[in-house]
Amino acid sequence: ISIGETVSCSFFVPGKFTPITASGEVVRRADGRGAGTNYYGIRFVDIREDDKLVIGDYIKKHPEASV
């Protein structure tokens, strides 16, 4: 996956039972600690407003999650 690419993803926010599904642009990439592991920063471009609120609430409660 390269910076600038558009990706679709689905994930769960801890404590929630409904997945968030969104698409976005890859804006950051970092090598992970293990072989074949990478980390990505995604700027969401197609995401439901309710899901934005769920993510925002989680980050407010867990600021270390936004690093």
Side-chain angles (χ1 to χ4, degrees):
I1 300 173
S2 302
I3 292 177
E5 241 181 282
T6 299
V7 296
S8 294
C9 60
S10 183
F11 58 92
F12 288 90
V13 170
K16 301 295 179 182
F17 300 103
T18 304
I20 291 176
T21 301
S23 63
E25 177 187 359
V26 178
V27 294
R28 283 188 306 278
R29 180 186 177 281
D31 293 331
R33 293 187 180 118
T37 302
N38 298 301
Y39 299 99
Y40 297 94
I42 308 295
R43 178 178 44 228
F44 296 120
V45 294
D46 185 17
I47 185 170
R48 293 172 2 127
E49 287 298 319
D50 290 350
D51 291 339
K52 286 182 188 179
L53 294 173
V54 169
I55 294 168
D57 287 345
Y58 182 81
I59 290 172
K60 283 179 190 169
K61 293 176 185 171
H62 305 277
E64 70 281 2
S66 66
V67 176

